[in-house]
Amino acid sequence: MKKTSWSQSWPRLLFWSHVLSVVGFYLLLWWRTKPGDNDFVQKLRPHTEAVPAERPLVSIIVPARNEERNIRRCVDSLLMQDYEHFEVIVVDDGSTDQTARILDEMVAMHPRGERLWVLRLRNLPQGWAGKPHAIHRGTQEAHGEWLVFTDADTRHAPNALRSALTQAECEHADLFSLGSKQELPTFWEKVLMPMAFLGVGMLYPPRLVNDPHSPVAVANGQYILLRRAVYDALGGYARPELRNTLLDDRDLAHVVKEHGYKLRFVEGRGLVSVRMYHNFNEIWRGWRKNVYLGNRGGLGFFLVQIIGLPMVTVIPLLMPWLARLTRGRHTGRIGRKEAAFGTGLEVTSVLAYRSWVDKQLQVPWYYVFSQPLAGTIFAAILSQSSWRILTKRGVDWRGRAYHNQRDQTEIK
Protein backbone atom coordinates (compact mmCIF):
# COMPACT_ATOMS: atom_id res chain seq x y z
CA MET A 1 0.00 0.00 0.00
CA LYS A 2 1.35 3.36 -0.96
CA LYS A 3 1.60 5.74 1.99
CA THR A 4 0.57 9.37 1.70
CA SER A 5 3.02 11.83 3.25
CA TRP A 6 2.06 15.02 5.07
CA SER A 7 3.32 17.09 2.13
CA GLN A 8 0.81 15.30 -0.06
CA SER A 9 -2.19 15.36 2.32
CA TRP A 10 -2.00 18.87 3.76
CA PRO A 11 -4.01 20.56 0.96
CA ARG A 12 -7.00 18.31 1.61
CA LEU A 13 -6.73 18.69 5.40
CA LEU A 14 -6.49 22.47 5.07
CA PHE A 15 -9.40 22.58 2.66
CA TRP A 16 -11.77 20.56 4.81
CA SER A 17 -10.67 22.30 8.00
CA HIS A 18 -11.70 25.58 6.41
CA VAL A 19 -15.01 24.17 5.17
CA LEU A 20 -15.96 22.82 8.58
CA SER A 21 -14.81 26.02 10.30
CA VAL A 22 -16.92 28.26 8.07
CA VAL A 23 -20.03 26.10 8.32
CA GLY A 24 -19.60 25.78 12.09
CA PHE A 25 -19.02 29.52 12.46
CA TYR A 26 -22.29 30.48 10.77
CA LEU A 27 -24.29 27.82 12.58
CA LEU A 28 -22.92 29.01 15.93
CA LEU A 29 -23.45 32.65 14.98
CA TRP A 30 -27.07 31.99 14.03
CA TRP A 31 -27.69 30.14 17.32
CA ARG A 32 -26.12 32.97 19.34
CA THR A 33 -27.87 35.86 17.59
CA LYS A 34 -31.33 34.32 17.09
CA PRO A 35 -33.65 36.14 19.53
CA GLY A 36 -35.74 34.01 21.84
CA ASP A 37 -39.49 34.16 22.25
CA ASN A 38 -39.16 36.64 25.13
CA ASP A 39 -36.76 38.94 23.30
CA PHE A 40 -39.45 40.98 21.54
CA VAL A 41 -41.31 44.02 22.76
CA GLN A 42 -44.99 43.60 23.54
CA LYS A 43 -46.53 46.29 21.37
CA LEU A 44 -49.71 47.83 22.74
CA ARG A 45 -52.37 49.16 20.44
CA PRO A 46 -52.20 52.94 19.93
CA HIS A 47 -54.61 54.89 22.11
CA THR A 48 -57.01 57.31 20.48
CA GLU A 49 -57.36 59.05 23.84
CA ALA A 50 -54.65 60.13 26.22
CA VAL A 51 -53.57 57.77 29.00
CA PRO A 52 -54.45 59.16 32.45
CA ALA A 53 -51.62 61.10 34.08
CA GLU A 54 -51.45 58.84 37.15
CA ARG A 55 -48.72 56.91 35.38
CA PRO A 56 -45.11 57.91 36.20
CA LEU A 57 -43.65 61.05 34.65
CA VAL A 58 -41.11 60.15 31.96
CA SER A 59 -38.34 62.53 30.88
CA ILE A 60 -37.19 61.94 27.30
CA ILE A 61 -33.68 63.30 26.69
CA VAL A 62 -32.36 63.84 23.16
CA PRO A 63 -28.70 64.87 22.74
CA ALA A 64 -28.35 66.72 19.43
CA ARG A 65 -25.33 68.16 17.66
CA ASN A 66 -25.74 69.47 14.10
CA GLU A 67 -28.92 67.47 13.51
CA GLU A 68 -30.84 69.80 11.19
CA ARG A 69 -31.45 66.83 8.90
CA ASN A 70 -33.21 64.75 11.56
CA ILE A 71 -34.30 66.81 14.56
CA ARG A 72 -37.76 67.89 13.40
CA ARG A 73 -38.87 64.35 12.55
CA CYS A 74 -37.50 62.95 15.79
CA VAL A 75 -38.94 65.54 18.17
CA ASP A 76 -42.32 65.59 16.42
CA SER A 77 -42.62 61.82 16.85
CA LEU A 78 -41.71 62.12 20.54
CA LEU A 79 -44.19 64.89 21.21
CA MET A 80 -46.97 62.82 19.63
CA GLN A 81 -46.67 59.91 22.09
CA ASP A 82 -50.02 58.57 23.29
CA TYR A 83 -48.66 58.40 26.84
CA GLU A 84 -49.82 61.52 28.64
CA HIS A 85 -47.27 62.13 31.40
CA PHE A 86 -43.96 62.98 29.75
CA GLU A 87 -41.59 65.80 28.89
CA VAL A 88 -39.05 66.10 26.08
CA ILE A 89 -35.67 67.72 26.76
CA VAL A 90 -33.47 68.34 23.73
CA VAL A 91 -29.87 69.14 24.58
CA ASP A 92 -28.41 71.25 21.76
CA ASP A 93 -24.74 70.40 22.10
CA GLY A 94 -23.11 73.38 20.42
CA SER A 95 -24.77 72.95 17.03
CA THR A 96 -23.51 75.23 14.26
CA ASP A 97 -26.23 74.41 11.71
CA GLN A 98 -29.98 75.10 11.78
CA THR A 99 -30.75 72.77 14.70
CA ALA A 100 -31.35 75.62 17.16
CA ARG A 101 -33.68 77.50 14.79
CA ILE A 102 -35.76 74.38 14.11
CA LEU A 103 -36.13 73.69 17.82
CA ASP A 104 -37.21 77.27 18.51
CA GLU A 105 -39.86 76.92 15.82
CA MET A 106 -41.15 73.70 17.35
CA VAL A 107 -41.38 75.21 20.83
CA ALA A 108 -43.43 78.08 19.44
CA MET A 109 -45.53 76.35 16.79
CA HIS A 110 -45.95 72.66 17.64
CA PRO A 111 -49.37 71.71 19.10
CA ARG A 112 -47.56 70.10 22.02
CA GLY A 113 -44.73 72.60 22.19
CA GLU A 114 -45.35 73.18 25.91
CA ARG A 115 -43.86 69.74 26.58
CA LEU A 116 -40.61 70.59 24.81
CA TRP A 117 -37.63 72.08 26.62
CA VAL A 118 -34.38 73.03 24.89
CA LEU A 119 -31.10 73.15 26.78
CA ARG A 120 -28.20 74.77 24.91
CA LEU A 121 -24.60 73.91 25.67
CA ARG A 122 -21.59 75.89 24.51
CA ASN A 123 -18.44 74.18 25.72
CA LEU A 124 -17.41 70.59 26.32
CA PRO A 125 -15.61 70.31 29.69
CA GLN A 126 -12.24 68.59 29.86
CA GLY A 127 -12.54 64.86 30.50
CA TRP A 128 -15.96 64.45 28.89
CA ALA A 129 -17.09 63.02 25.57
CA GLY A 130 -19.86 64.97 23.87
CA LYS A 131 -22.84 62.62 24.13
CA PRO A 132 -22.37 61.53 27.77
CA HIS A 133 -22.01 65.18 28.77
CA ALA A 134 -25.16 66.20 26.88
CA ILE A 135 -27.20 63.39 28.45
CA HIS A 136 -25.80 64.21 31.89
CA ARG A 137 -26.83 67.85 31.55
CA GLY A 138 -30.25 66.77 30.32
CA THR A 139 -30.82 64.57 33.36
CA GLN A 140 -30.05 67.53 35.60
CA GLU A 141 -33.08 69.30 34.12
CA ALA A 142 -35.33 66.22 34.13
CA HIS A 143 -38.17 65.66 36.61
CA GLY A 144 -39.30 62.17 35.61
CA GLU A 145 -39.31 58.94 37.59
CA TRP A 146 -38.12 57.27 34.39
CA LEU A 147 -35.59 58.55 31.86
CA VAL A 148 -35.51 57.83 28.14
CA PHE A 149 -32.28 58.43 26.22
CA THR A 150 -32.76 58.48 22.47
CA ASP A 151 -30.88 59.75 19.41
CA ALA A 152 -31.87 62.63 17.16
CA ASP A 153 -31.94 60.39 14.07
CA THR A 154 -34.73 58.18 15.44
CA ARG A 155 -38.46 58.16 14.80
CA HIS A 156 -40.95 56.85 17.36
CA ALA A 157 -44.37 55.31 16.88
CA PRO A 158 -47.10 56.94 19.02
CA ASN A 159 -47.36 53.84 21.22
CA ALA A 160 -43.59 53.37 21.69
CA LEU A 161 -43.23 54.94 25.14
CA ARG A 162 -46.38 53.38 26.57
CA SER A 163 -45.44 49.93 25.28
CA ALA A 164 -41.85 50.12 26.55
CA LEU A 165 -42.79 51.49 29.98
CA THR A 166 -45.61 48.98 30.49
CA GLN A 167 -43.35 46.03 29.71
CA ALA A 168 -40.47 47.43 31.78
CA GLU A 169 -42.75 47.80 34.80
CA CYS A 170 -44.30 44.33 34.33
CA GLU A 171 -40.87 42.70 34.08
CA HIS A 172 -39.41 44.81 36.91
CA ALA A 173 -36.60 45.94 34.62
CA ASP A 174 -34.28 48.73 35.67
CA LEU A 175 -32.85 49.39 32.21
CA PHE A 176 -35.10 48.49 29.28
CA SER A 177 -33.67 48.98 25.79
CA LEU A 178 -35.34 48.57 22.42
CA GLY A 179 -33.66 47.46 19.22
CA SER A 180 -34.59 49.75 16.32
CA LYS A 181 -35.75 49.16 12.80
CA GLN A 182 -32.96 50.26 10.46
CA GLU A 183 -33.94 52.49 7.54
CA LEU A 184 -31.62 51.47 4.69
CA PRO A 185 -32.67 53.16 1.44
CA THR A 186 -29.29 53.33 -0.37
CA PHE A 187 -26.98 50.72 -1.87
CA TRP A 188 -24.14 51.07 0.63
CA GLU A 189 -26.47 50.96 3.61
CA LYS A 190 -27.96 47.69 2.36
CA VAL A 191 -24.51 46.24 1.70
CA LEU A 192 -22.72 47.23 4.89
CA MET A 193 -25.22 47.52 7.73
CA PRO A 194 -26.08 43.79 7.79
CA MET A 195 -22.36 43.09 8.20
CA ALA A 196 -22.21 45.54 11.08
CA PHE A 197 -25.08 43.74 12.80
CA LEU A 198 -23.31 40.42 12.26
CA GLY A 199 -20.44 41.77 14.34
CA VAL A 200 -22.67 43.23 17.04
CA GLY A 201 -24.62 39.99 17.33
CA MET A 202 -21.41 37.96 17.55
CA LEU A 203 -20.03 40.08 20.41
CA TYR A 204 -23.29 40.77 22.25
CA PRO A 205 -25.79 37.95 21.67
CA PRO A 206 -29.25 38.71 23.13
CA ARG A 207 -29.41 35.46 25.08
CA LEU A 208 -26.32 36.50 27.08
CA VAL A 209 -27.25 40.18 27.41
CA ASN A 210 -30.58 39.23 28.99
CA ASP A 211 -29.06 36.52 31.21
CA PRO A 212 -28.55 38.00 34.70
CA HIS A 213 -25.78 35.45 35.33
CA SER A 214 -23.76 36.55 32.29
CA PRO A 215 -21.41 39.58 32.45
CA VAL A 216 -22.20 40.44 28.81
CA ALA A 217 -24.10 43.72 28.68
CA VAL A 218 -25.14 46.13 25.96
CA ALA A 219 -27.98 48.54 25.24
CA ASN A 220 -29.15 50.35 22.14
CA GLY A 221 -28.43 54.06 22.57
CA GLN A 222 -31.28 54.78 20.17
CA TYR A 223 -33.73 53.82 22.92
CA ILE A 224 -32.82 53.37 26.57
CA LEU A 225 -35.53 53.49 29.26
CA LEU A 226 -33.99 53.71 32.74
CA ARG A 227 -35.31 54.18 36.25
CA ARG A 228 -34.26 57.58 37.55
CA ALA A 229 -33.53 56.13 40.99
CA VAL A 230 -31.10 53.64 39.45
CA TYR A 231 -29.41 56.31 37.35
CA ASP A 232 -28.90 58.51 40.41
CA ALA A 233 -27.73 55.63 42.62
CA LEU A 234 -25.03 54.74 40.10
CA GLY A 235 -23.97 58.32 39.50
CA GLY A 236 -25.05 58.22 35.87
CA TYR A 237 -22.75 59.57 33.21
CA ALA A 238 -20.91 61.61 35.83
CA ARG A 239 -19.15 58.38 36.86
CA PRO A 240 -15.44 58.65 35.93
CA GLU A 241 -15.57 55.62 33.63
CA LEU A 242 -18.65 56.92 31.78
CA ARG A 243 -17.79 60.59 31.33
CA ASN A 244 -15.53 60.10 28.34
CA THR A 245 -16.78 56.89 26.80
CA LEU A 246 -17.49 56.75 23.08
CA LEU A 247 -19.71 53.72 23.70
CA ASP A 248 -22.13 55.37 26.09
CA ASP A 249 -24.91 52.79 25.65
CA ARG A 250 -22.78 49.70 26.13
CA ASP A 251 -20.84 51.08 29.07
CA LEU A 252 -23.96 52.34 30.85
CA ALA A 253 -25.56 48.91 30.42
CA HIS A 254 -22.42 47.27 31.81
CA VAL A 255 -22.48 49.45 34.93
CA VAL A 256 -26.19 48.79 35.47
CA LYS A 257 -25.82 45.02 35.15
CA GLU A 258 -22.56 44.87 37.09
CA HIS A 259 -24.28 46.43 40.10
CA GLY A 260 -27.05 43.85 40.13
CA TYR A 261 -29.83 45.78 38.44
CA LYS A 262 -32.04 44.09 35.87
CA LEU A 263 -31.17 44.70 32.21
CA ARG A 264 -33.55 43.87 29.38
CA PHE A 265 -32.76 44.32 25.69
CA VAL A 266 -35.61 43.40 23.33
CA GLU A 267 -36.39 43.81 19.65
CA GLY A 268 -38.45 46.96 19.17
CA ARG A 269 -39.01 47.14 15.42
CA GLY A 270 -42.40 48.66 14.74
CA LEU A 271 -41.95 51.13 17.61
CA VAL A 272 -38.61 52.81 16.91
CA SER A 273 -36.84 53.32 13.59
CA VAL A 274 -33.56 55.00 12.74
CA ARG A 275 -31.43 55.95 9.79
CA MET A 276 -27.94 55.97 11.24
CA TYR A 277 -25.96 56.95 8.14
CA HIS A 278 -26.73 58.40 4.71
CA ASN A 279 -23.71 57.52 2.57
CA PHE A 280 -20.56 55.42 2.39
CA ASN A 281 -18.37 58.00 4.10
CA GLU A 282 -20.71 58.31 7.07
CA ILE A 283 -20.89 54.53 7.45
CA TRP A 284 -17.10 54.26 7.37
CA ARG A 285 -16.51 57.04 9.90
CA GLY A 286 -19.34 55.95 12.17
CA TRP A 287 -18.21 52.34 12.52
CA ARG A 288 -14.54 53.32 12.56
CA LYS A 289 -15.34 55.22 15.74
CA ASN A 290 -16.94 52.23 17.42
CA VAL A 291 -15.54 48.91 16.27
CA TYR A 292 -12.22 48.82 18.10
CA LEU A 293 -13.51 50.28 21.36
CA GLY A 294 -16.62 48.10 21.07
CA ASN A 295 -14.60 44.91 20.95
CA ARG A 296 -14.83 42.96 24.21
CA GLY A 297 -12.17 40.33 23.57
CA GLY A 298 -8.95 42.34 23.81
CA LEU A 299 -6.40 43.16 21.14
CA GLY A 300 -5.65 39.51 20.37
CA PHE A 301 -9.27 38.70 19.64
CA PHE A 302 -9.59 41.87 17.57
CA LEU A 303 -6.68 40.75 15.38
CA VAL A 304 -8.41 37.40 14.95
CA GLN A 305 -11.49 39.28 13.74
CA ILE A 306 -9.49 41.26 11.18
CA ILE A 307 -7.98 38.06 9.78
CA GLY A 308 -11.07 35.94 10.24
CA LEU A 309 -13.60 38.22 8.58
CA PRO A 310 -12.21 37.72 5.05
CA MET A 311 -11.84 34.01 5.81
CA VAL A 312 -15.60 33.62 6.38
CA THR A 313 -16.87 36.13 3.80
CA VAL A 314 -14.42 36.22 0.87
CA ILE A 315 -12.39 33.00 0.84
CA PRO A 316 -15.45 30.70 0.49
CA LEU A 317 -16.03 32.08 -3.01
CA LEU A 318 -12.36 31.60 -3.90
CA MET A 319 -12.14 27.96 -2.82
CA PRO A 320 -12.53 26.45 -6.33
CA TRP A 321 -9.57 28.48 -7.58
CA LEU A 322 -7.50 27.67 -4.50
CA ALA A 323 -8.30 23.98 -4.94
CA ARG A 324 -7.01 24.11 -8.51
CA LEU A 325 -3.57 25.08 -7.21
CA THR A 326 -3.27 21.64 -5.59
CA ARG A 327 -3.93 19.69 -8.77
CA GLY A 328 -0.50 18.40 -9.46
CA ARG A 329 0.70 14.83 -9.50
CA HIS A 330 0.70 14.31 -5.75
CA THR A 331 -2.05 12.17 -4.24
CA GLY A 332 -3.30 14.91 -1.92
CA ARG A 333 -4.79 16.93 -4.71
CA ILE A 334 -8.37 18.15 -4.39
CA GLY A 335 -10.57 16.97 -7.23
CA ARG A 336 -13.17 19.09 -8.98
CA LYS A 337 -16.15 17.31 -7.45
CA GLU A 338 -14.65 17.45 -3.97
CA ALA A 339 -13.86 21.16 -4.36
CA ALA A 340 -17.35 21.86 -5.66
CA PHE A 341 -18.98 20.00 -2.77
CA GLY A 342 -16.88 21.73 -0.10
CA THR A 343 -17.35 25.10 -1.73
CA GLY A 344 -21.08 24.51 -1.93
CA LEU A 345 -21.24 23.86 1.80
CA GLU A 346 -19.33 27.04 2.57
CA VAL A 347 -21.21 29.30 0.16
CA THR A 348 -24.57 27.92 1.31
CA SER A 349 -23.78 28.71 4.94
CA VAL A 350 -22.55 32.22 4.06
CA LEU A 351 -25.59 33.05 1.94
CA ALA A 352 -28.07 31.41 4.33
CA TYR A 353 -26.90 33.46 7.30
CA ARG A 354 -26.72 36.70 5.29
CA SER A 355 -30.21 35.97 3.92
CA TRP A 356 -31.52 35.56 7.48
CA VAL A 357 -29.96 38.88 8.57
CA ASP A 358 -31.23 40.66 5.45
CA LYS A 359 -34.75 39.42 6.18
CA GLN A 360 -34.55 40.86 9.70
CA LEU A 361 -33.42 44.20 8.28
CA GLN A 362 -35.85 44.09 5.32
CA VAL A 363 -33.04 44.18 2.78
CA PRO A 364 -33.81 42.71 -0.70
CA TRP A 365 -32.76 39.07 -1.07
CA TYR A 366 -30.20 39.65 -3.81
CA TYR A 367 -27.96 41.63 -1.46
CA VAL A 368 -26.82 38.30 -0.06
CA PHE A 369 -24.29 38.28 -2.89
CA SER A 370 -22.69 41.46 -1.53
CA GLN A 371 -21.35 39.58 1.51
CA PRO A 372 -17.76 39.32 0.16
CA LEU A 373 -17.73 43.04 -0.62
CA ALA A 374 -19.11 43.88 2.82
CA GLY A 375 -16.55 41.60 4.49
CA THR A 376 -13.66 43.21 2.63
CA ILE A 377 -14.76 46.75 3.49
CA PHE A 378 -15.40 45.98 7.15
CA ALA A 379 -12.02 44.29 7.47
CA ALA A 380 -10.53 47.60 6.28
CA ILE A 381 -12.67 49.55 8.77
CA LEU A 382 -11.55 47.22 11.57
CA SER A 383 -7.92 47.71 10.60
CA GLN A 384 -8.10 51.49 10.41
CA SER A 385 -10.07 51.77 13.65
CA SER A 386 -7.48 49.77 15.61
CA TRP A 387 -4.57 51.59 13.97
CA ARG A 388 -5.97 55.04 14.76
CA ILE A 389 -6.70 54.17 18.39
CA LEU A 390 -3.45 52.33 19.09
CA THR A 391 -1.29 55.02 17.45
CA LYS A 392 -3.28 57.72 19.29
CA ARG A 393 -4.30 59.42 16.06
CA GLY A 394 -7.86 59.23 17.34
CA VAL A 395 -11.24 59.03 15.68
CA ASP A 396 -13.45 61.96 14.75
CA TRP A 397 -17.18 62.40 15.12
CA ARG A 398 -19.57 65.35 15.06
CA GLY A 399 -16.71 67.82 14.70
CA ARG A 400 -14.73 66.47 17.64
CA ALA A 401 -11.62 64.33 17.64
CA TYR A 402 -11.24 61.66 20.31
CA HIS A 403 -7.68 60.45 20.70
CA ASN A 404 -8.51 58.01 23.44
CA GLN A 405 -11.15 57.66 26.11
CA ARG A 406 -9.51 60.31 28.26
CA ASP A 407 -8.65 62.96 25.74
CA GLN A 408 -10.83 64.85 23.29
CA THR A 409 -10.23 68.07 21.40
CA GLU A 410 -12.15 70.13 18.90
CA ILE A 411 -11.34 69.69 15.22
CA LYS A 412 -10.28 72.99 13.73
Side-chain angles (χ1 to χ4, degrees):
M1 180 181 292
K2 188 175 182 179
K3 295 184 177 180
T4 303
S5 67
W6 162 250
S7 62
Q8 294 175 319
S9 61
W10 73 264
R12 176 171 279 108
L13 292 174
L14 187 62
F15 175 80
W16 282 106
S17 295
H18 189 270
V19 171
L20 295 177
S21 297
V22 169
V23 174
F25 169 79
Y26 281 106
L27 285 174
L28 178 62
L29 188 60
W30 174 79
W31 179 80
R32 283 170 61 89
T33 57
K34 181 174 64 72
D37 294 336
N38 296 323
D39 294 332
F40 293 87
V41 69
Q42 299 167 13
K43 290 183 284 188
L44 303 179
R45 291 184 178 182
H47 268 322
T48 56
E49 298 181 0
V51 178
E54 293 81 35
R55 297 290 298 275
L57 174 64
V58 180
S59 297
I60 304 172
I61 299 171
V62 186
R65 179 174 171 85
N66 295 333
E67 290 285 359
E68 63 180 7
R69 182 169 61 189
N70 303 307
I71 195 66
R72 190 184 300 276
R73 184 185 80 157
C74 174
V75 174
D76 178 68
S77 70
L78 291 171
L79 290 174
M80 298 309 294
Q81 293 298 295
D82 65 10
Y83 181 87
E84 182 62 24
H85 210 195
F86 72 94
E87 61 180 358
V88 177
I89 302 171
V90 179
V91 185
D92 181 5
D93 187 14
S95 297
T96 57
D97 61 1
Q98 297 299 309
T99 299
R101 180 188 62 78
I102 294 170
L103 290 171
D104 287 341
E105 287 181 2
M106 298 193 74
V107 171
M109 305 296 293
H110 197 280
R112 291 189 172 184
E114 76 281 357
R115 297 178 181 269
L116 175 60
W117 304 86
V118 180
L119 174 63
R120 291 194 167 88
L121 307 181
R122 292 188 176 182
N123 300 313
L124 179 63
Q126 184 68 26
W128 286 85
K131 187 176 177 183
H133 179 249
I135 295 176
H136 169 68
R137 291 295 305 276
T139 62
Q140 291 180 320
E141 303 297 325
H143 298 90
E145 298 176 48
W146 286 83
L147 303 171
V148 170
F149 305 146
T150 188
D151 289 343
D153 53 5
T154 58
R155 179 171 57 183
H156 304 252
N159 56 333
L161 176 56
R162 188 165 52 88
S163 297
L165 181 60
T166 299
Q167 187 168 345
E169 290 181 322
C170 288
E171 298 183 358
H172 305 288
D174 298 298
L175 188 158
F176 189 84
S177 188
L178 296 179
S180 308
K181 175 186 176 182
Q182 299 296 312
E183 300 173 10
L184 308 173
T186 68
F187 172 78
W188 286 115
E189 290 170 277
K190 292 183 177 72
V191 169
L192 293 175
M193 293 302 285
M195 179 59 66
F197 280 83
L198 180 153
V200 172
M202 177 180 67
L203 294 171
Y204 301 98
R207 66 180 67 245
L208 295 183
V209 172
N210 289 320
D211 181 356
H213 302 293
S214 169
V216 178
V218 76
N220 177 19
Q222 295 152 10
Y223 200 97
I224 294 176
L225 175 64
L226 178 64
R227 293 182 190 271
R228 176 63 184 262
V230 172
Y231 183 87
D232 289 341
L234 295 174
Y237 281 111
R239 292 177 66 94
E241 69 268 36
L242 294 183
R243 290 185 178 194
N244 50 17
T245 178
L246 298 183
L247 298 167
D248 52 278
D249 45 7
R250 185 204 65 177
D251 292 348
L252 176 63
H254 176 76
V255 170
V256 168
K257 193 173 186 181
E258 183 182 43
H259 284 79
Y261 295 104
K262 185 174 182 179
L263 169 65
R264 285 284 283 143
F265 189 174
V266 301
E267 180 54 63
R269 281 174 290 175
L271 295 181
V272 183
S273 62
V274 62
R275 186 176 181 187
M276 295 176 63
Y277 309 114
H278 286 245
N279 54 54
F280 181 85
N281 184 55
E282 288 186 9
I283 296 172
W284 184 288
R285 290 160 68 95
W287 288 106
R288 182 181 68 183
K289 172 177 68 73
N290 292 332
V291 289
Y292 180 77
L293 297 176
N295 174 59
R296 67 180 183 88
L299 178 59
F301 182 62
F302 193 80
L303 294 175
V304 171
Q305 293 177 56
I306 294 175
I307 298 171
L309 189 56
M311 296 293 289
V312 298
T313 58
V314 180
I315 298 300
L317 299 182
L318 301 179
M319 291 303 283
W321 289 270
L322 296 177
R324 289 187 62 181
L325 298 178
T326 71
R327 291 177 192 161
R329 294 185 176 181
H330 53 75
T331 58
R333 68 183 182 275
I334 302 171
R336 288 186 177 85
K337 291 184 178 180
E338 185 179 8
F341 180 68
T343 301
L345 290 176
E346 288 199 2
V347 171
T348 298
S349 63
V350 172
L351 298 184
Y353 182 80
R354 174 60 190 255
S355 177
W356 178 74
V357 174
D358 284 352
K359 184 177 180 180
Q360 310 306 306
L361 298 178
Q362 297 182 349
V363 172
W365 66 270
Y366 46 85
Y367 276 88
V368 299
F369 300 107
S370 70
Q371 186 80 335
L373 176 61
T376 301
I377 293 173
F378 254 92
I381 294 175
L382 290 167
S383 300
Q384 190 181 66
S385 177
S386 60
W387 177 72
R388 291 183 69 98
I389 296 295
L390 295 175
T391 60
K392 302 187 184 300
R393 290 177 60 89
V395 292
D396 54 289
W397 190 246
R398 298 293 183 188
R400 293 182 175 125
Y402 298 88
H403 295 286
N404 56 53
Q405 289 186 289
R406 298 191 178 275
D407 178 28
Q408 58 273 344
T409 56
E410 294 289 333
I411 293 179
K412 303 300 183 182

